[in-house]
Amino acid sequence: QVQLVESGGGLMQAGGSLRLDCTASGRTFTMVWFRQSSGEEREFVAAINWSGRSTYAADSVKERFTISRDNAKTTVYLQMHSLKPEGTAVYYCAAGGITSWSSPAPAAYNFWGQGTQVTVSS
């Protein structure tokens, strides 16, 4: 069974940068970042396949955020630049199999981390 642990969240001024990381125990194919603001539904952010060579991101963040994996494929990163106040949310790492690829729906992913809080001040 896959277990995921996120870290790297915190408080950042608008326009700043922050890097989130998610470490997985167990084999994964697709790893994904979601975020959820207070009072809102969970939103897809970015996804990466097992090799790290295929990625995609939501239109709202793709010019500013980059998803990547380390050489051992055990950790996925979300490098965030030009942070905006509307990016304030709990950020979640999730994992799924091959069939989860390209799905923006939370229900497509079987394993979830506990989330890490990102707060962007104006």
Side-chain angles (χ1 to χ4, degrees):
Q1 181 171 288
V2 175
Q3 294 181 314
L4 305 171
V5 179
E6 304 102 327
S7 63
L11 177 64
M12 181 60 63
Q13 186 176 335
S17 299
L18 204 60
R19 192 184 77 172
L20 308 182
D21 57 276
C22 173
T23 299
S25 61
R27 196 170 80 177
T28 64
F29 181 78
T30 303
M31 295 189 70
V32 187
W33 288 97
F34 284 82
R35 65 185 180 185
Q36 187 167 21
S37 301
S38 180
E40 303 293 332
E41 295 186 3
R42 195 161 296 186
E43 175 190 25
F44 170 80
V45 177
I48 191 166
N49 77 340
W50 73 272
S51 69
R53 290 190 283 271
S54 294
T55 65
Y56 70 97
D59 288 344
S60 60
V61 305
K62 64 182 180 181
E63 293 182 2
R64 300 179 292 113
F65 293 7
T66 301
I67 189 169
S68 62
R69 300 184 82 147
D70 68 0
N71 291 334
K73 310 298 188 292
T74 58
T75 303
V76 63
Y77 305 96
L78 185 68
Q79 180 66 60
M80 305 183 292
H81 296 294
S82 301
L83 285 164
K84 301 177 180 180
E86 54 263 43
T88 295
V90 177
Y91 284 70
Y92 295 93
C93 180
I98 294 173
T99 57
S100 299
W101 181 249
S102 80
S103 177
Y109 302 93
N110 303 121
F111 306 101
W112 293 82
Q114 80 289 343
T116 185
Q117 176 71 46
V118 173
T119 302
V120 184
S121 64
S122 59

